[in-house]
Amino acid sequence: MRMNGKTSYLALLAVGGLILSLSGVAVAFSSMGTSAMGFYRMLLGGLGLAGFALWRGLRWRMTRQALLYACLAGAALALDLYWWHKSIRMVGPGLGAILTNCQSFFLAGLAWAVFRERITVVYFVALVLAATGILMVSGAGLPVAAGPDSASEHWLGVALGLASAAAYALCVVFIKKGQTPPHATHPAVNMAVLCAAAAPCLLTAAWLEGESLAIAGAADFGTLLLYGLLVQGVAWLMVSTAVPHVKASLAGLILLAEPIGTYAIDVLFFTARPTPMALAGMALTLAAIYAGSTYGGAPSGGAPSGGAPARRMAKAQGSGH
């Protein structure tokens, strides 16, 4: 997947984020256990990515650093899914989408601490405005849980959602670190290894919690295919392709498009009805994302130029022929 220019990578990241918006809907409407569903997502997504890599004849050779960071990213994503799935069942996909997308704040801090990225005033204002817009959308009609059994369960769901946001941010950081030249490999190979690392973690969680891996019927099977192949396979391949070429903090801002996509799906296919507040929130979020991505600072880690690292990067991300 070869691309050139900042705009192309930002667009790829945005489309990947919009496809990821299917996640909350899939989890909310599936009858499977939360950890079992995460396991199938990693299993099916990993098999799809591995099949794609084999079909394209991609190189599977990875440096130790790339392998380490892919495994760490897999462990972080497993934690993200474990906590987020439980949060959705407690607070609903609407608030669940808000909570996990607090990743943008965690990612901004990690970007400053790990990559020494400069967080500009424009970026921070855009981030706050985007989060405000998402809150407006959520309050205006995203599906919520029918009602938690108790206040303690509700706040546990909130805490798990925030924990998933932190794990989500760590996953993005590990992907970016592992895809830094000269350690970069093709994103499909990197994500297949990530899935292979995450799947056993979620399988263990399902076993410890006594969840069944049985697929109840055609509806659950279709949901798992959507969740595994499209969300984990296609969407995360897009994200992992774009992240090395975009500032980590900016990636967090762009991925705020995910809950907007969740709301749009609910309006188009389920019970939500668009309201003036929701539409205003969508407009505010999209405008803030545009402003932050356009005026919030230049991307880092773009396509390398010159020297042996650049040649190794180009070779790693080529077709492998």
Side-chain angles (χ1 to χ4, degrees):
M1 188 178 292
R2 288 190 177 93
M3 302 189 71
N4 295 298
K6 172 186 174 182
T7 303
S8 297
Y9 287 111
L10 292 179
L12 189 68
L13 189 61
V15 173
L18 288 173
I19 297 176
L20 286 173
S21 64
L22 294 168
S23 301
V25 176
V27 175
F29 288 94
S30 173
S31 61
M32 293 196 71
T34 54
S35 298
M37 193 169 186
F39 164 70
Y40 277 116
R41 168 176 166 168
M42 292 297 111
L43 177 65
L44 295 173
L47 289 175
L49 289 163
F52 173 78
L54 292 172
W55 173 64
R56 289 287 306 276
L58 302 177
R59 297 179 184 274
W60 285 82
R61 188 177 302 168
M62 301 177 72
T63 66
R64 290 182 180 179
Q65 178 172 317
L67 180 61
L68 172 63
Y69 280 119
C71 291
L72 288 174
L77 187 57
L79 277 175
D80 168 29
L81 294 180
Y82 178 77
W83 287 326
W84 185 51
H85 287 179
K86 291 186 178 301
S87 175
I88 288 175
R89 295 287 170 87
M90 292 179 182
V91 302
L95 183 54
I98 298 295
L99 293 169
T100 197
N101 276 282
C102 288
Q103 54 80 18
S104 54
F105 293 96
F106 289 109
L107 200 46
L110 287 170
W112 174 81
V114 177
F115 301 110
R116 299 302 180 192
E117 293 181 5
R118 186 169 61 92
I119 307 301
T120 65
V121 174
V122 172
Y123 170 84
F124 186 77
V125 171
L127 183 59
V128 172
L129 290 177
T132 301
I134 292 172
L135 286 172
M136 292 169 64
V137 172
S138 178
L142 269 172
V144 296
D149 295 334
S150 65
S152 60
E153 180 178 302
H154 173 81
W155 288 111
L156 176 59
V158 170
L160 290 174
L162 292 174
S164 78
Y168 189 166
L170 277 175
C171 177
V172 173
V173 168
F174 287 141
I175 289 174
K176 186 173 177 67
K177 289 283 287 184
Q179 290 293 82
T180 301
H183 305 287
T185 186
H186 192 282
V189 173
N190 189 64
M191 289 304 300
V193 173
L194 181 154
C195 291
C201 300
L202 291 162
L203 179 61
T204 301
W207 176 71
L208 290 174
E209 296 181 340
E211 294 183 4
S212 172
L213 296 179
I215 301 174
D220 270 351
F221 182 69
T223 300
L224 289 175
L225 285 179
L226 173 76
Y227 200 37
L229 297 179
L230 185 59
V231 172
Q232 186 59 37
V234 176
W236 269 98
L237 178 59
M238 291 179 173
V239 171
S240 64
T241 299
V243 159
H245 302 272
V246 177
K247 290 177 64 177
S249 54
L250 184 54
L253 179 64
I254 298 296
L255 289 172
L256 286 177
E258 180 181 341
I260 298 300
T262 301
Y263 178 71
I265 290 170
D266 192 47
V267 168
L268 292 173
F269 300 105
F270 298 104
T271 59
R273 295 292 179 267
T275 66
M277 179 181 290
L279 295 175
M282 291 177 67
L284 178 61
T285 298
L286 294 175
I289 290 174
Y290 174 78
S293 60
T294 304
Y295 306 107
S300 69
S305 58
R311 290 192 294 273
R312 284 194 292 268
M313 177 70 166
K315 187 176 181 181
Q317 293 198 344
S319 65
H321 291 159

